[in-house]
Amino acid sequence: LLHLAADSDAPPLWIEDTGCWYPDESGRPARAEGSIRIINDRRKHEEDLRRQSDFDDLTCLPNRRSLEKNLETAIREAESRGTVSTFMIMSLDHMDAVNDVHGFETGDEVLLQAGKRVAARLRGDDVVCRFSGAKFGLILRDCPPAEVFDAATRLLKAVSAEPLETRAGPISINAVVGACFLPRHGNTPKEVIGNAYKALRTVRGD
């Protein structure tokens, strides 16, 4: 990465260099030959591919792939530090009705706005991801059972307290959450997600 002069408004340049050096009779470097290429376009393409693999296109939140990597880290941290963290799955209610009445574009707007509201209520070390469909996955670090009710209430109110603004007009939405604790309810992301999903289904009465 090559940064230009400090007073320049031009963006930095990503460069790739190849070449070799030639020694003199004493074995010390005497000259070098090579080439330097600007690879900003290739770098941007690589970054776009990385982002597509780890982020959800609609909400711009980390996707399930990224969620599982974050869960792996959170589990290990809780184990090593002897702390308790919480994993939640939040599911927005009646999204099928929103899509049927207002159209899928409006449904997408609801998901986008809901994700933004939830993200705005999190602490610095917490994580929210697009889990699937109308569901979000949340990792609340250092959040023991005694604090879960207040945390869940805060996040649910973030979604439901005021209507979400869409091009079809204001839309009110509610949500429910299912939660489990790390590392008590799982030593792998798969186990943790499965237990949180069971809790969600219990809340819904499925």
Side-chain angles (χ1 to χ4, degrees):
L1 181 61
L2 178 64
H3 291 276
L4 303 181
D7 58 351
S8 172
D9 293 330
L13 299 176
W14 287 94
I15 61 173
E16 179 181 72
D17 63 284
T18 59
C20 60
W21 60 272
Y22 299 91
D24 58 18
E25 294 180 355
S26 64
R28 295 181 178 181
R31 63 186 180 87
E33 294 180 1
S35 62
I36 295 177
R37 295 190 300 164
I38 296 174
I39 58 169
N40 280 27
D41 289 343
R42 192 181 81 187
R43 180 72 182 188
K44 181 180 183 302
H45 178 66
E46 291 172 350
E47 287 294 318
D48 288 344
L49 290 177
R50 185 198 65 79
R51 184 172 182 83
Q52 289 172 12
S53 69
D54 288 333
F55 287 83
D56 175 61
D57 289 338
L58 172 61
T59 62
C60 298
L61 295 173
N63 59 19
R64 182 162 177 167
R65 168 190 167 94
S66 182
L67 170 66
E68 292 178 354
K69 291 190 289 187
N70 277 282
L71 267 176
E72 182 74 37
T73 300
I75 293 168
R76 299 287 85 82
E77 287 178 350
E79 288 175 337
S80 64
R81 293 165 54 190
T83 57
V84 178
S85 293
T86 295
F87 174 64
M88 292 181 180
I89 297 177
M90 174 185 286
S91 178
L92 304 186
D93 281 336
H94 309 304
M95 284 301 298
D96 287 343
V98 172
N99 291 328
D100 289 343
V101 174
H102 300 286
F104 286 97
E105 289 186 359
T106 298
D108 287 347
E109 286 186 82
V110 169
L111 289 171
L112 174 61
Q113 296 299 326
K116 286 182 177 179
R117 286 192 182 184
V118 171
R121 299 300 193 281
L122 297 181
R123 302 165 301 176
D125 291 338
D126 296 337
V127 177
V128 57
C129 302
R130 174 88 180 278
F131 180 72
S132 66
K135 297 179 179 66
F136 299 97
L138 299 100
I139 301 172
L140 309 181
R141 284 183 166 83
D142 296 331
C143 182
E147 299 176 11
V148 168
F149 179 80
D150 288 342
T153 299
R154 182 180 73 251
L155 295 170
L156 290 172
K157 285 184 177 179
V159 173
S160 64
E162 296 180 2
L164 300 166
E165 295 298 331
T166 73
R167 283 173 288 184
I171 294 179
S172 296
I173 201 80
N174 291 312
V176 294
V177 298
C180 66
F181 304 111
L182 317 178
R184 182 189 307 175
H185 294 130
N187 293 314
T188 66
K190 183 178 180 180
E191 290 177 341
V192 170
I193 290 171
N195 283 318
Y197 203 80
K198 288 179 184 177
L200 179 66
R201 294 183 64 183
T202 299
V203 172
R204 284 194 174 281
D206 294 345

